[in-house]
Amino acid sequence: MALLPILTAPDPRLKKKSKPVDQVDAEVRQLMDDMLETMYDAPGIGLAAPQVGVLKRVIVLDIDREDTKTGPLFMANPEIIEASDEDVSYEEGCLSVPEHYSDVVRPAKVTVRYLDRDGKSQDLAAEGLLATCLQHEIDHLDGVLFIDHISALKRNMILRKLLKARKEKERDEAEGKPAKAQDPEHAL
Ligand code: NI
């Protein structure tokens, strides 16, 4: 397994539409495992392949690492096949939009069809944080970030701050200062 570098906005690769995988082969499983390790390390609760610069429809999630019953979810070609009329608002963050959070309104419940780590087709009905996280990650596969769901004014302000933060981070790295950690509850 390997830690992969996480891209941050603005980066043109985060705005691209990812391609479906033909099958879940050894290469895709390796990607899933590397993504999970990268997500845990960040730390975050969800990660999509384009966030590590791989334009494939692959996501990993683990909304509660303490809960060993559920374990991590590995999904290839995830698709929302059903969404509730009822909406819910959650304060989202993203490993690719570090240290910025915003309320995003999405359907409260979704059913997702996907290929699991063994390449088997599965349907998962989700609500609460898992439903939010699934929609957030699937958005990534279509080049959509949570900041695309908020006002242009707020989005542009965040993007400006991200550019500034990137320069500061580059300077800190050059000086050998440690990187700041994210608030894991909100890093989707
Ligand atoms: Ni994200």
Side-chain angles (χ1 to χ4, degrees):
M1 297 219 273
L3 288 180
L4 307 167
I6 298 175
L7 306 179
T8 57
D11 186 300
R13 288 167 288 181
L14 292 170
K15 303 303 296 169
K16 295 235 164 76
K17 206 173 155 77
S18 293
K19 290 215 166 66
V21 301
D22 295 331
Q23 53 172 333
V24 181
D25 55 14
E27 193 189 324
V28 170
R29 271 192 291 276
Q30 180 70 58
L31 173 66
M32 288 172 163
D33 293 344
D34 289 346
M35 283 172 59
L36 189 74
E37 194 188 356
T38 302
M39 183 192 85
Y40 283 153
D41 180 72
I45 57 173
L47 188 69
Q51 291 182 274
V52 292
V54 179
L55 296 178
K56 288 182 180 165
R57 300 187 81 82
V58 172
I59 62 175
V60 296
L61 308 91
D62 192 350
I63 60 159
D64 185 1
R65 219 178 154 181
E66 307 289 300
D67 186 352
T68 48
K69 282 198 302 284
T70 50
L73 284 164
F74 301 94
M75 298 187 173
N77 304 345
E79 228 187 307
I80 295 166
I81 57 169
E82 224 181 287
S84 63
D85 293 330
E86 182 205 338
D87 286 334
V88 72
S89 173
Y90 185 79
E91 188 181 55
E92 295 185 25
C94 179
L95 293 172
S96 295
V97 187
E99 288 166 55
H100 292 277
Y101 308 96
S102 210
D103 285 329
V104 177
V105 176
R106 301 182 187 269
K109 296 177 187 175
V110 290
T111 302
V112 174
R113 181 163 293 165
Y114 64 99
L115 299 175
D116 66 17
R117 200 177 171 283
D118 299 315
K120 243 175 63 188
S121 180
Q122 305 268 10
D123 287 357
L124 176 70
E127 57 180 38
L129 178 56
L130 183 58
T132 293
C133 193
L134 282 164
Q135 293 172 81
H136 176 117
E137 302 315 328
I138 292 170
D139 263 359
H140 273 299
L141 305 179
D142 293 316
V144 174
L145 302 174
F146 82 87
I147 51 173
D148 294 315
H149 290 286
I150 64 179
S151 74
L153 189 74
K154 193 152 185 218
R155 174 168 60 249
N156 290 332
M157 189 189 75
I158 290 175
L159 287 170
R160 269 200 308 275
K161 286 185 178 167
L162 284 171
L163 278 173
K164 196 170 155 235
R166 183 182 296 173
K167 281 190 200 122
E168 281 167 12
K169 188 171 169 246
E170 280 164 3
R171 195 195 56 212
D172 285 355
E173 275 170 0
E175 292 173 6
K177 287 188 192 155
K180 285 181 223 153
Q182 281 252 111
D183 172 7
E185 275 285 285
H186 298 277
L188 313 185

